[in-house]
Amino acid sequence: MRCFNGMKMGQLTSYTLELRTLPIGSQQFNYVVGNDFFALREETEIRSGEVDVTLEVIRKGDIFNLFFTFKGEIVVACDRCLDDMTLPIDSDYQVVIKYSDNPSDDNDEVIEVAENVRDYDLTDLIYDSIALEIPMKHRHADGQCNPEMIEKLLGSTAYEDEKESNIDPRWNALRDIIDNNKK
């Protein structure tokens, strides 16, 4: 659970969900998350992008079921050559917000907010959901990296060594066994 006791300074008001004024039932909201959104984040891997965010909120009393759908593209740095590379974003995320007398942080699927909270800032939920789509290693496909940068960063032989070092060492052990059986 994420605990929310109030609004943060500098929040983006266009991503604020007005909990108390939402009617019972289903409501849909559409957002376009662009370069300005990512530029406001400190320490982000995301250089730019445009992602369409669809949010369906189903309110049942003091419980709000949020269903996010993300579609678009973001730009991050290639781990190998540091040039921009585009990553597609196509994902869904679901979370529940509920009012509680004693908000706690026990569950990642439920966000508890204090009874006096009227609005909830969705900025962090939206950003985190998009950022989780970035793979641990993000590199251009082989041959797509900027060759000048690769040579400057690693040297031409170092790049070839890196390609060889990406081979699983278990394959080398199997090759040794096969070579020994041929003798």
Side-chain angles (χ1 to χ4, degrees):
M1 258 177 254
R2 295 187 187 167
C3 184
F4 183 78
N5 294 318
M7 295 170 54
K8 292 186 252 178
M9 289 184 56
Q11 78 178 12
L12 298 170
T13 56
S14 62
Y15 302 107
T16 299
L17 188 62
E18 297 175 6
L19 299 174
R20 289 288 182 196
T21 61
L22 279 175
I24 301 294
S26 178
Q27 303 292 317
Q28 186 166 336
F29 302 90
N30 296 304
Y31 307 101
V32 177
V33 175
N35 295 339
D36 293 341
F37 178 85
F38 297 116
L40 290 174
R41 303 299 296 204
E42 294 178 21
E43 310 270 337
T44 182
E45 287 185 83
I46 302 171
R47 293 181 173 181
S48 63
E50 186 168 306
V51 179
D52 293 322
V53 180
T54 303
L55 169 62
E56 180 183 7
V57 179
I58 300 174
R59 181 178 184 180
K60 298 175 185 172
D62 283 346
I63 298 175
F64 305 83
N65 293 300
L66 280 63
F67 301 92
F68 290 92
T69 302
F70 302 92
K71 292 189 186 302
E73 294 180 335
I74 58 172
V75 176
V76 297
C78 172
D79 287 340
R80 187 180 296 137
C81 71
L82 304 177
D83 275 1
D84 286 351
M85 66 176 289
T86 302
L87 294 175
I89 300 296
D90 188 2
S91 66
D92 299 314
Y93 179 68
Q94 179 180 347
V95 68
V96 174
I97 297 176
K98 72 177 194 173
Y99 284 109
S100 174
D101 292 333
N102 298 314
S104 67
D105 293 333
D106 294 340
N107 185 335
D108 288 336
E109 297 170 0
V110 177
I111 300 169
E112 288 185 354
V113 296
E115 294 285 341
N116 63 344
V117 171
R118 299 186 55 77
D119 304 322
Y120 187 81
D121 181 14
L122 300 171
T123 305
D124 289 340
L125 281 177
I126 292 171
Y127 176 80
D128 291 346
S129 297
I130 294 169
L132 285 172
E133 292 299 305
I134 301 172
M136 291 296 287
K137 291 184 179 181
H138 33 84
R139 296 179 174 176
H140 287 109
D142 288 340
Q144 298 293 315
C145 282
N146 178 341
E148 292 173 16
M149 184 60 79
I150 293 297
E151 190 165 333
K152 287 179 184 176
L153 290 174
L154 303 172
S156 59
T157 57
Y159 176 64
E160 294 302 320
D161 291 344
E162 179 189 329
K163 283 172 60 176
E164 288 297 319
S165 70
N166 286 334
I167 297 173
D168 188 328
R170 294 175 289 187
W171 288 112
N172 290 333
L174 287 173
R175 284 190 190 115
D176 290 343
I177 293 171
I178 291 170
D179 290 342
N180 286 338
N181 287 333
K182 288 182 182 177
K183 292 181 184 179

